[in-house]
Amino acid sequence: MAGRTIRSSSHRDQHSSQTKEQDQTSDIPDISAERVGRVVASEARERASKPGEFVDARSMASGRSVGSQIDESTFGNNGFLARSKVIHFPQRERERIHTKHRVLTIRIVSTVLAIATVCALVWGLLFSPLLVLDSTQIHIGGTNTWVSDARVKALVTDQAGKSLLLVQSGKLEEQIRALPGVTQAEVTKNYPHGLTVHVQAQVPAAILKADSTMVAVDNKGRILNDVHTAVDGIPVIEVSQIESALKQTSVNQAVQILGSLDENTRKRISTVEAKTRDSITTKLDDNALTIIWGDASKLKLKMAIVTTLLSQPDTLAGATTIDVSAPDRPIIK
């Protein structure tokens, strides 16, 4: 009986102790989270070091490790570096190869198109009928009796059927100037199919006469045309044979001198003698006045002396000979 009483008393004491503890706990004031934050911040300010003070690292709060932050699911959401994306390398390799093939294909197609465009352009401009020279649209101007239109056109017509871009104007002008009697030539392209040629044709320097055969020659001794009768204003040189005469130095010297004379003087010439290369002589006014030229050297000076004397009849004073074979010492007699 006594034992039971003791256990009951102990149970009551334990219950009374728990009741007191609960009462004490209820007496603790309720501290809000905001207040706790202010307290922690205040303590942190108190622990913060001032400039120049010694800082004990042991008193500093330990931070969270980088590894633990990386493992969190929210890592990188606020601008922090995030773990790199895992790349599937076989797929990336296939994408790289596909891109390479696409770029290569584009380059090949672009090159083929460029070559095709250039070929089409070249064919259109050089080989198609687009710019072909039409022989019916070739026009010749400036010719005369001695340099015929047909002779010049025969040379130019060889270019018919070619593209105007392939017709070399400079080369064609040289070929035309090489024709006997032509002193100048100008070629103009008239797109898309025409060509105009203008020449400056000279009057023959002389007419070579062998028996009943007469030919007109230029100042270089080149044959222009056959002549049936003498032409006013063109001096006549009598020779034994036309072909052999053209090879003689004396005849070539004579036509060079005659070709340099002005039109009025040429009309006054009645006879030309070319026996030797340095004894070229012309007779004016029905053989009333003889001019001894010698050869064709210093021709400009000789021409100036003769022209001056012929323009001053009083100076000649009935003289019948003007000798300019030595132009530095002309003789009038």
Side-chain angles (χ1 to χ4, degrees):
M1 193 70 181
R4 291 176 182 175
T5 302
I6 291 171
R7 282 195 297 269
S8 299
S9 176
S10 176
H11 179 71
R12 282 192 303 267
D13 291 341
Q14 184 178 1
H15 177 72
S16 175
S17 176
Q18 291 176 355
T19 301
K20 289 179 180 181
E21 288 178 358
Q22 290 177 357
D23 293 339
Q24 291 177 359
T25 302
S26 61
D27 292 338
I28 297 175
D30 185 15
I31 301 175
S32 65
E34 181 179 358
R35 185 176 179 182
V36 172
R38 287 199 299 270
V39 172
V40 173
S42 176
E43 293 178 355
R45 284 195 297 271
E46 290 178 358
R47 290 196 302 269
S49 62
K50 298 179 180 180
E53 283 187 346
F54 173 76
V55 179
D56 188 355
R58 293 174 297 177
S59 63
M60 297 175 64
S62 61
R64 297 168 60 196
S65 65
V66 175
S68 63
Q69 296 182 46
I70 291 176
D71 291 335
E72 293 180 356
S73 60
T74 59
F75 181 73
N77 292 341
N78 296 322
F80 296 102
L81 293 176
R83 180 174 296 176
S84 301
K85 179 183 178 181
V86 178
I87 300 175
H88 186 52
F89 286 99
Q91 181 180 357
R92 177 58 179 165
E93 181 66 18
R94 286 194 298 271
E95 293 177 356
R96 187 183 66 81
I97 294 175
H98 176 71
T99 303
K100 183 177 180 180
H101 288 171
R102 184 165 56 86
V103 171
L104 182 60
T105 302
I106 293 174
R107 289 181 178 177
I108 292 175
V109 172
S110 300
T111 303
V112 171
L113 290 177
I115 294 175
T117 302
V118 171
C119 291
L121 185 62
V122 170
W123 179 84
L125 295 178
L126 302 183
F127 303 104
S128 74
L130 184 63
L131 297 176
V132 167
L133 176 61
D134 187 351
S135 59
T136 61
Q137 298 188 33
I138 297 175
H139 305 285
I140 311 296
T143 56
N144 57 15
T145 304
W146 314 105
V147 180
S148 66
D149 181 279
R151 181 180 296 182
V152 177
K153 193 168 185 178
L155 184 61
V156 179
T157 305
D158 290 341
Q159 303 295 321
K162 293 183 180 179
S163 171
L164 282 177
L165 297 177
L166 297 177
V167 175
Q168 300 179 23
S169 299
K171 185 177 181 180
L172 190 57
E173 289 172 353
E174 291 180 3
Q175 293 175 347
I176 296 172
R177 282 195 295 267
L179 293 175
V182 177
T183 59
Q184 191 56 264
E186 182 180 358
V187 175
T188 303
K189 297 178 181 179
N190 302 322
Y191 290 96
H193 304 294
L195 192 71
T196 299
V197 179
H198 183 78
V199 301
Q200 292 181 4
Q202 64 179 209
V203 176
I207 293 176
L208 300 184
K209 181 180 180 181
D211 297 330
S212 59
T213 303
M214 292 186 295
V215 296
V217 295
D218 64 3
N219 59 359
K220 296 181 180 180
R222 299 176 300 183
I223 296 177
L224 300 178
N225 285 327
D226 293 338
V227 181
H228 301 291
T229 58
V231 180
D232 185 33
I234 301 178
V236 177
I237 303 175
E238 294 189 0
V239 295
S240 58
Q241 189 179 9
I242 301 296
E243 293 182 359
S244 60
L246 291 174
K247 299 177 182 179
Q248 295 175 8
T249 304
S250 59
V251 173
N252 283 282
Q253 293 279 314
V255 297
Q256 187 176 347
I257 293 172
L258 294 173
S260 64
L261 298 177
D262 61 81
E263 185 178 357
N264 291 331
T265 304
R266 287 160 58 87
K267 288 181 178 180
R268 295 174 61 180
I269 295 175
S270 54
T271 306
V272 180
E273 294 180 356
K275 295 179 181 180
T276 62
R277 60 179 298 174
D278 53 0
S279 63
I280 310 301
T281 302
T282 58
K283 294 183 178 182
L284 282 61
D285 304 329
D286 295 329
N287 301 332
L289 179 63
T290 301
I291 302 176
I292 302 174
W293 298 92
D295 57 19
S297 63
K298 297 183 179 180
L299 190 55
K300 290 185 179 180
L301 179 57
K302 293 177 180 180
M303 283 291 303
I305 295 172
V306 171
T307 301
T308 301
L309 292 175
L310 292 178
S311 64
Q312 300 174 357
D314 295 338
T315 303
L316 294 176
T320 58
T321 303
I322 300 175
D323 188 351
V324 290
S325 56
D328 297 329
R329 297 186 301 274
I331 299 173
I332 302 175
K333 58 183 180 180

